[in-house]
Amino acid sequence: MKTVLRFSLLGALLLGGHAFAAEPKKFDISMFPAAEVNQERVVIRLPEVDNEADMMVELQVGKKMQVDCNLPRFAGNLEQRSVKGWGYNYLQLGKVSDPISTLMACPDGQKKEAFVQIYGQGFFVNYNSKLPFVIYVPQEYEVRYRLWRADALAQPAMIE
C-alpha cells in the first residue's frame, strides 16, 4: 500500500514536475489517531504549486476485484473528522455498500482484475500543500488520487 502511494506521488512529480516548486514538507502527524485494528492510516503529502486555489484533489478509494464486462462500483462516503484539541481534519471512510453493477450479458464470460472504486461524497478536496491528507480506510481498500487543475481562461456564461 505504502509503495503504491510512493510510486503514485513519484509519477505525478515526473509527469508534472515543471509545475511543482518544491518537494512536500514533512508535517508531523503524531497528533492524528493511530489506525484502528484492521484499518490503515494513509497519508498524502502534496508539493507546493503555483495557484493552489486553481487545483483540486480527487481521492479514489476502492479495491481490486475480478470483474466481467459490466461496470461495478461501491457506494460510500469519506467523512470529515477533526483531531480533538488540534483543529486538524482527517477523512474516515464510512459504511460502504456491497458492489453494484450494470447487468449486461458478457459474451465472452471472461473476468479480469480491475480497481473498483467507491463513489459518493467527500472524494473531491481542495489542494493543500501545507497540511497532509490523512485518510483512514479498512485494510482491504486502496487509496489513489488524481490532481485536477482549472483552465486558466474562465468562459463567460450566456444569458438566454
Side-chain angles (χ1 to χ4, degrees):
M1 173 64 72
K2 293 175 186 169
T3 304
V4 170
L5 288 175
R6 287 185 186 131
F7 282 113
S8 296
L9 181 57
L10 178 62
L13 288 171
L14 290 175
L15 291 175
H18 66 281
F20 298 112
E23 283 204 27
K25 293 178 183 160
K26 203 71 163 157
F27 179 87
D28 179 23
I29 62 167
S30 62
M31 74 285 298
F32 288 91
E36 295 177 5
V37 176
N38 297 324
Q39 294 240 330
E40 288 183 325
R41 179 173 69 183
V42 179
V43 179
I44 299 172
R45 299 174 192 273
L46 300 173
E48 288 183 37
V49 295
D50 295 332
N51 300 323
E52 288 188 8
D54 289 345
M55 296 187 66
M56 295 286 290
V57 179
E58 175 189 1
L59 300 170
Q60 299 177 336
V61 181
K63 60 182 167 179
K64 291 185 179 177
M65 299 175 60
Q66 292 293 317
V67 299
D68 56 14
C69 69
N70 287 285
L71 301 172
R73 60 184 58 192
F74 295 99
N77 295 318
L78 277 178
E79 300 165 358
Q80 186 170 304
R81 308 251 170 98
S82 182
V83 179
K84 290 182 169 93
W86 288 87
Y88 295 126
N89 294 326
Y90 61 91
L91 298 167
Q92 174 84 44
L93 182 62
K95 184 178 178 190
V96 177
S97 72
D98 289 333
I100 55 176
S101 178
T102 56
L103 298 173
M104 299 184 295
C106 301
D108 59 5
Q110 292 187 7
K111 292 193 174 200
K112 63 179 186 220
E113 186 174 73
F115 181 74
V116 179
Q117 193 171 334
I118 300 170
Y119 289 89
Q121 299 294 313
F123 292 95
F124 276 89
V125 292
N126 292 327
Y127 192 101
N128 186 354
S129 64
K130 309 245 181 312
L131 297 172
F133 293 103
V134 179
I135 307 154
Y136 295 87
V137 296
Q139 287 179 339
E140 67 265 20
Y141 291 97
E142 180 181 335
V143 178
R144 300 176 179 183
Y145 69 95
R146 293 194 306 176
L147 302 179
W148 292 76
R149 184 180 307 272
D151 193 355
L153 179 63
Q155 301 294 323
M158 301 302 294
I159 297 173
E160 292 185 16

